[in-house]
Structure formats: C-alpha cells, structure tokens
Amino acid sequence: MPDLNSQTRLHRRFNGLCSLKDLKIFVPEAVIMGNAATLSCQFELEKATLYSVRWYFEGEEFYRFVPKESPPARTFPVSGITVDTPKVKQMGTGERFGTIDHVSHCFQCFPQGTQSDATSVTLRGVTRDLTGQFQCEVSEDAPLFHTDIRQARMQVVELPKEDPMMQLDKTHITTLDNFRAVCTVGTSFPAANITWYINTKRIHRSPYQRITYRSYEGTPTFSSLEMLPHSQVLQDIYQSMPPFHTSLTVMCEISILHIYTKSAQQRILVSDLVTTISPNLLGLDGSNNRRKNNGDPDNSPLTGGAGLARRQPRSLLYVLAVGAVLMHCRYGAALLLTDRASGL
C-alpha cells in the first residue's frame, strides 16, 4: 500500500512544477450569420514552455497550434467551419519567429496582422450550424505536459428579413371598449421575443391583459394582445387622461438576444362617453334664444344653431344638473308670482 505522506509530497512537487494557470476562454455569446467570429484563449505559462493549443467544436478538433512544428498552425475539416488561417512567411536565418524573444515562450508565432495564432482563432462566414459548444485546450511542454481545457457556447443568429408589422382591430374606442392588436415579425433564428407596451407601460399577461405568442421554426413569429377595459394599466392611463379626446400608443418591441431590436407602433383614439342633448328637451330654450338663433327651434348644430351644444358639448350629468337648477329657479319664480296675485 503506497505511503500517503509520499503521495502528498509528490502532489506538492507536481503542483510546484506546473506553470500553466489562469486559463480563460472568450467566445462571442451571439454572432450574426455570415459574419466572422474570433475566439480567444488566454493563459499564463511562467517558466514552462507551450506545447500546443487545440480548438474543438462539439468535441471535434478544427484548429491546432504547435510552436515547434512548421508551420505551427493546422486546420482540420469540420462541417460548417472555415478558419481564417494566416499567411506564414518563410523565416530566414537568424530571423525571429514570433513576438516573444524566445521561441519556446512564443504566444503569437505569426507575423503581425494575421487572424489566427496561439491565443485566438477566427472563423469566417459563420452559419447556423455553428451554434454550440467550443473548447480550448492548452498543454505545456515536457516533462509534465500539463493540460487544461475551458469551454463556452456561441449562438449564431439569423436576423429577420422583414420589419415588424402591427395591426389593430379598432382605431377609435371609448373607456368602456376592449381592443386587440397583432404583431408579426419575419422568420429568424432563434425566434424573436415580442414585448408589448401601452404609453410606455410594459404589459404583462393577466386575466384582463391577454397575450398570446406563437413561433415555429421557419415561419414568422406572431403575438397578439387583447386589452379589456378593466385592465389595471388602462384604468391608470384613463384616470390621468385629460377630458374628452386623447389617444393610446400601442407598441410591440422585437428583440433577439442583445444584437437586434426593432419596434412597431400605432395610435388608438380614445374618447369619453359624451352625450349631447338639445337644451329645449330640458325646457332651457326661452323665446330670446329662439329669436337669437333665427328661428332654430331646437338649437341644433345640424341646422346651424350656435347655442350650447355647438359651442361645447357637455356630459349628461352636467346638463342634467344645470337643467335641474334652472327648473327649480323657474318653479320658485312661478310661486312668487302666484303669491303676489293672491295678495292683490
């Protein structure tokens, strides 16, 4: 049975000799389809020398960098991957190979301005097939050949070719009406997110705020919004509205990860429940009014009258209140005249 203390001392000695540390991988979270993507791998070797850097996609090696080989970079065929390989020049006698003084510590053993080297690799014209896991594996040279590996995921995004469109079932409502809006955006990968707003207030799904979302691969993305008058958002907006006519701005915002954002919006005219009643129906049209309106018996805007209804429409409650006050005054005046006649 091996001595535990001996194993501990050997482990400490091994860790002391190991110089490869702080390995970090940097892979774009999202790249637009057809663009280039640069992946990088950073590490420290201290006193050790670099043996190799290998890149894998979903477990398949597609790029290898070995400083001691000539040329140091090699690519391997993997479906969908095109590596932007550097143009390696023939080195003359006594000419240095990299940007580090000693070739054994070379981290970038290509002429400056190239796209792929010991610490990075550039992929040209990425396709949707390259959505997945990338791994960077770094090994130090003899005698230990200590190896470490890191991985990260990249998403290739296909943007929609058409701008988002919105349709409304109503363009004019009252505060007691419901309405429905539909937002559609073209085919994309991954499917676009659709977020709804009314007057800059974000709308969340609730019993009075009904939101549906539908997306299938290869087809446009669709979302609908149905707002009922008891919606808390609408109630808050209506309470802060000025009297009579105003409007709602309905907007759908389209987003794909952090690289695509567009929106579509339309306005809905909102009017309060206004009822205009002819004053003569409430007994408010005296003979003076008839003479001033050139014989217009009902003071109606349709016949050219310039009375109360034409100057400014009033709410039903307001008109009833005014009518009640005037009727009370007329009734009081009639009683006074009767009393005086009796006294005579």
Side-chain angles (χ1 to χ4, degrees):
M1 183 174 181
D3 183 8
L4 184 60
N5 291 331
S6 299
Q7 287 184 341
T8 302
R9 286 194 298 270
L10 181 61
H11 180 69
R12 289 176 178 173
R13 182 180 178 186
F14 178 83
N15 286 340
L17 292 175
C18 176
S19 298
L20 173 62
K21 63 179 183 179
D22 295 335
L23 176 60
K24 299 176 182 178
I25 186 173
F26 299 92
V27 173
E29 178 186 353
V31 181
I32 298 175
M33 186 176 69
N35 288 359
T38 298
L39 324 176
S40 64
C41 210
Q42 296 180 3
F43 50 89
E44 294 183 16
L45 286 176
E46 294 185 342
K47 297 180 181 180
T49 58
L50 177 66
Y51 175 70
S52 68
V53 177
R54 303 167 188 257
W55 282 91
Y56 303 86
F57 173 66
E58 297 292 346
E60 292 188 73
E61 185 179 6
F62 65 89
Y63 179 77
R64 181 187 302 174
F65 185 92
V66 182
K68 291 184 178 181
E69 293 183 356
S70 181
R74 294 178 60 188
T75 61
F76 302 90
V78 173
S79 177
I81 291 184
T82 303
V83 177
D84 190 359
T85 54
K87 296 179 181 179
V88 181
K89 67 177 182 178
Q90 185 67 35
M91 298 296 173
T93 303
E95 189 173 5
R96 296 203 179 275
F97 189 55
T99 58
I100 307 299
D101 288 341
H102 197 281
V103 68
S104 63
H105 294 272
C106 174
F107 291 165
Q108 189 171 340
C109 295
F110 287 114
Q112 294 183 359
T114 57
Q115 299 298 311
S116 301
D117 49 42
T119 58
S120 64
V121 57
T122 298
L123 310 180
R124 292 188 287 121
V126 297
T127 65
R128 284 174 46 175
D129 295 335
L130 295 188
T131 295
Q133 294 287 340
F134 287 85
Q135 298 90 24
C136 172
E137 179 188 272
V138 179
S139 300
E140 65 180 53
D141 209 342
L144 297 178
F145 293 100
H146 177 65
T147 300
D148 201 357
I149 190 168
R150 294 288 185 274
Q151 69 176 13
R153 178 177 173 82
M154 184 175 77
Q155 173 77 61
V156 180
V157 177
E158 181 180 359
L159 300 181
K161 296 180 174 60
E162 302 86 14
D163 289 336
M165 295 187 303
M166 183 193 295
Q167 294 178 321
L168 296 172
D169 67 340
K170 299 172 184 175
T171 58
H172 187 181
I173 64 172
T174 70
T175 55
L176 297 182
D177 291 333
N178 64 333
F179 64 88
R180 186 171 184 267
V182 174
C183 191
T184 307
V185 64
T187 303
S188 65
F189 179 83
N193 292 316
I194 300 180
T195 306
W196 289 96
Y197 296 87
I198 296 180
N199 287 14
T200 71
K201 296 180 180 292
R202 182 170 177 175
I203 307 302
H204 298 277
R205 183 182 285 110
S206 74
Y208 300 116
Q209 300 169 176
R210 301 170 183 173
I211 298 176
T212 62
Y213 179 88
R214 186 186 69 207
S215 176
Y216 302 101
E217 186 172 356
T219 64
T221 301
F222 164 94
S223 179
S224 68
L225 169 68
E226 184 177 5
M227 298 293 291
L228 277 66
H230 297 295
S231 157
Q232 187 60 52
V233 171
L234 288 182
Q235 291 298 317
D236 293 342
I237 293 175
Y238 292 155
Q239 289 178 7
S240 62
M241 278 184 174
F244 307 110
H245 296 284
T246 187
S247 64
L248 300 174
T249 299
V250 183
M251 183 180 76
C252 62
E253 183 182 75
I254 313 300
S255 62
I256 303 176
L257 300 177
H258 62 279
I259 62 176
Y260 177 89
T261 302
K262 283 194 175 183
S263 63
Q265 65 180 33
Q266 290 197 36
R267 294 167 70 88
I268 299 178
L269 187 65
V270 181
S271 60
D272 199 0
L273 293 177
V274 178
T275 303
T276 303
I277 298 181
S278 180
N280 73 314
L281 296 180
L282 299 175
L284 304 180
D285 58 330
S287 58
N288 290 336
N289 287 337
R290 281 198 294 270
R291 285 195 297 270
K292 290 180 180 179
N293 292 324
N294 298 322
D296 180 12
D298 62 355
N299 198 25
S300 170
L302 297 178
T303 57
L308 177 64
R310 186 169 183 176
R311 286 198 304 272
Q312 183 176 1
R314 301 290 185 180
S315 68
L316 178 59
L317 292 177
Y318 179 87
V319 173
L320 290 175
V322 172
V325 171
L326 293 178
M327 291 295 291
H328 180 74
C329 292
R330 293 179 65 181
Y331 180 72
L335 290 178
L336 181 61
L337 290 175
T338 302
D339 292 339
R340 288 184 177 181
S342 299
L344 293 176

